[in-house]
Amino acid sequence: MATTPQTPRTHPDFGKSGPADSRPSGRVARWRIGRVVAISLATGFLAAVLLAAAPVIRARESEMTGAVLCGFAVGWAVLAILSVRLTDQPQRWAFVPAVIMGAGGLLLVVFGPAVDGPLSWVWPPALLALAIWMSLRVRRQLHSRSRGWLVHPVLAVLALASIGGGYQTLGAAADARAFPMPGQLVDVGGYRLHLNCTGSGSPTVVLQPGAGEMSSNHGWIAAAVANNTRVCAYDRAGRGWSEPADNAQDATQIAADLHTLLHRANVPGPYVLAGHSFGGLYTLTFAARYPDEVAAMVLIDSTDRAATDTPGVVAAPGSYDVLGRLSALISTSARLGLGRVYAPLEVGSLPARSRDEVRANIASPANLRSTIDEYVQANTSMQEAASLREFGSKPLVVLTAGVGNSSKHQDAQNELAGLSTNSVHQTIDWASHEALVADQAGAAITTQAILDVVASVRSGGPLVH
């Protein structure tokens, strides 16, 4: 019995073409599909880096994210084009993610923060649906080991990003409902800062939070001081309820913003300034720039100043800001819910509402961006704080945490106390840096120091040692 010859079957594999009879008539496959996939994904990554680094893209989180999406769109488009032209496995489905990512990226680049809100609700489910659809297409049309080695991991990352993005969007909406803003927003020149003043009496105490922190980090202190005098807590740009700023937030800019904020909000001086950690640098800089408006200071384990007041190297307006671009890209991770995972590990023993407000702040992309920028500006801020050479006979209390305190830091704290002839330097042996504001016992010591300088200002007499 005659048998019909069978066409040999070819096992699809990385670097091998599919069956010969699946090749379109007249086309000669010159490239292996696995190579095309690898080149296309690498092209997308490179395009994302180059577009994010392009000077025409401003160093804003939304616009940098848009540039990255446009770069990824280029990679998917390259996959579709090269696979059609050079292989026997055309991947026309890749035009779909190219169009969707390109459109979303262009919206972010052109309109920036104006479309952040609406897109935050749209992109997570859209990206998840796209990842699932792409996975089905890849399974049917891509016959190569590159499917498992390259494409599937990329699709898994897209799916995880969509889930994290949805988690962040829902969490941010819940936070906005749970924690309505106390106080007011005041325009300080292109962006608005949050200010909340409670209590009554004079002089007014102004609280300056530490690095990466917000007004609610002083939950214990603000409530206690308000029983004795007026106290104002505020959020620096990008923190808490304040809007982000595009300008460099070094100590001089922060002091200028605070000065504008207090005057436009009709908060009369002179003020008692209380600054914790990095907030001490901003307090010292404010006192140097506006000496007639500062009646007294409390420095709460202040960050050490630089040894000289020589101005640091600051990027000129309009110059290329590499660190700013990196900061904007890193802060995008908070939109994937990573900050919301980390937030519950922070805060200490603040009052319940203050604790939850601080955790909500930690989870926000704006807070991550402003915190990174704050550390980028640290050297400049330390130098600017050193411009305060003396504080006369005005009341000054320096509080130093004993835990983790080095001899160098102790010497710097002693030097701060020497700024005034009417000063007290107290080292709390059992307290850590953060405990002086976040823990009730430490915050009580800080509160008493603030009330001591308030009493000294009112009486015109020396501090009680």
Side-chain angles (χ1 to χ4, degrees), residues 63 88 102 160 172 190 192 229 327 430 439 465:
E63 294 174 40
D88 59 358
L160 288 174
R192 298 180 299 171
T229 192
S327 171
W430 55 265
D439 293 338
H465 288 258

Side-chain angles (χ1 to χ4, degrees), residues 129-146:
L130 178 64
I132 294 173
W133 179 84
M134 290 169 67
S135 180
L136 295 175
R137 288 294 177 180
V138 166
R139 183 177 180 181
R140 294 174 184 173
Q141 299 182 27
L142 181 59
H143 306 294
S144 166
R145 287 181 181 174
S146 63

